[in-house]
Amino acid sequence: VAGACALIKQAHPKWTPEQIKASLMNNAVTLLDENGKKLAPNQQGAGRINVKQAIEAEVLIYPGAISFGQFDTNHPRTKKIEKVTIDNQSNMKKTITFQMPKNKPGIRWVLPGKMELEPGEKKQVEVGVDLTPSQMKQGIYEGWLSIQQDGKTVEIPYAYVIDEPNYP
């Protein structure tokens, strides 16, 4: 990872550590199990580093992973919002669209609408969950938020916990 960061820093000397980390995480290759099913974020993190794609990144999304924290089943309906930065490093206008995850009992997603970023523009957006923990089972909930950017998909791992899970 240190070597990959050094190569990215050489290609983009003005990038901050947060931008370098985002380029690595946003452009990681998702790992699959022996049946071709995507491994969970707690099994692979953001995936396997792809230095070439990280160096060629035009749009950075950070943080590169989102944790919404822990909720108790006796909590009332709770909304948890996290701030995410969308950073257009290219010299072209970019269109960004968040894809809504599949509906599940007890959760509603709070995602930004379609947006456009001018060259060099950064926007901070809110990404959140609206949970009713009493409608959910105890455990670790995790997955991927898919974000489309002009034909390219970036997947950001997310997680939240209901009660104290039985950790594997």
Side-chain angles (χ1 to χ4, degrees), residues 37-155:
K37 185 179 175 193
K38 190 185 306 187
L39 293 173
N42 74 359
Q43 295 173 305
Q44 69 170 312
R48 187 182 70 237
I49 290 174
N50 184 326
V51 177
K52 182 180 184 302
Q53 281 187 246
I55 288 172
E56 294 172 352
E58 294 185 335
V59 176
L60 304 175
I61 302 167
Y62 43 91
I66 303 171
S67 173
F68 293 105
Q70 183 174 348
F71 304 87
D72 293 325
T73 50
N74 61 359
H75 279 166
R77 183 173 167 188
T78 306
K79 188 184 280 188
K80 178 73 186 276
I81 302 292
E82 294 294 329
K83 303 257 189 225
V84 174
T85 301
I86 314 291
D87 183 354
N88 183 2
Q89 289 288 314
S90 78
N91 57 7
M92 297 171 47
K93 182 187 277 190
K94 296 290 181 177
T95 302
I96 310 296
T97 309
F98 282 74
Q99 302 295 329
M100 190 64 69
K102 289 183 182 177
N103 285 335
K104 294 181 182 175
I107 181 171
R108 288 202 302 219
W109 286 90
V110 179
L111 299 175
K114 182 177 179 179
M115 70 183 80
E116 290 189 344
L117 287 124
E118 296 297 327
E121 183 181 10
K122 288 183 192 180
K123 281 188 182 176
Q124 193 171 65
V125 297
E126 293 184 343
V127 173
V129 291
D130 185 349
L131 294 173
T132 306
S134 62
Q135 294 180 2
M136 305 174 83
K137 293 180 182 174
Q138 171 182 339
I140 300 170
Y141 290 79
E142 60 186 334
W144 307 89
L145 283 178
S146 292
I147 302 160
Q148 303 290 319
Q149 49 170 310
D150 293 328
K152 181 181 179 194
T153 300
V154 172
E155 294 189 313

